Amino acid sequence: SAHPPRSVYPTFLLSRVWGSRLARALTLSGAGVSLLLLAWTSLAIPGREQVILGLQPGFGFGAIPGGYAVPALQLLLLPLVNLLFFGVDFFLGLFFFRKPESQPLAYLLWGSSALTGVGFMAAALYILSVS
């Protein structure tokens, strides 16, 4: 009644992922957004000495930009954290992609990785626009 041992080599798994059109599109979009964010913030930093982080409470429902100024180099934290999230999502997605019944979880992780990158881009755009 014991299942026979089965081994899955990483190269076969990567070729299966690459063979799936949806998996390939989601992983490439997550990687592309991450690299685009890294390049964009790297190009935006030399033109600035400081950026403003934080919000100050405002009247009504809104908050106004304010807070404290930090060196612009700290803006690189956004793409680095995003790359960390992408890496974790990618490898967890590979883990879930191994079994057909858990492949939707892999697709969910890879898709959320691309959306997370878009969220970090929006954050960087907001920080750069108020600084």
Side-chain angles (χ1 to χ4, degrees):
S1 80
H3 294 286
R6 186 178 127 199
S7 115
V8 177
Y9 295 103
T11 54
F12 293 134
L13 182 60
L14 289 175
S15 65
R16 280 184 42 218
V17 169
W18 192 254
S20 167
R21 180 181 238 176
L22 180 59
R24 184 174 57 236
L26 290 173
T27 54
L28 288 177
S29 65
V33 168
S34 296
L35 293 176
L36 183 65
L37 177 62
L38 180 64
W40 179 49
T41 54
S42 297
L43 293 174
I45 288 173
R48 302 173 191 281
E49 195 170 306
Q50 293 183 330
V51 292
I52 297 174
L53 299 180
L55 296 172
Q56 293 178 345
F59 291 109
F61 293 105
I64 55 175
Y68 51 95
V70 297
L73 189 61
Q74 289 189 8
L75 194 61
L76 277 178
L77 289 174
L78 292 175
L80 292 178
V81 169
N82 185 49
L83 282 170
L84 174 72
F85 287 164
F86 172 74
V88 170
D89 286 346
F90 179 75
F91 287 111
L92 274 176
L94 287 178
F95 176 77
F96 286 124
F97 195 81
R98 296 178 307 139
K99 297 180 183 175
E101 62 270 8
S102 64
Q103 284 182 359
L105 292 174
Y107 295 134
L108 182 67
L109 282 168
W110 292 329
S112 67
S113 179
L115 289 177
T116 302
V118 170
F120 275 107
M121 271 192 177
L125 178 65
Y126 178 75
I127 290 170
L128 290 171
S129 69
V130 299
S131 295

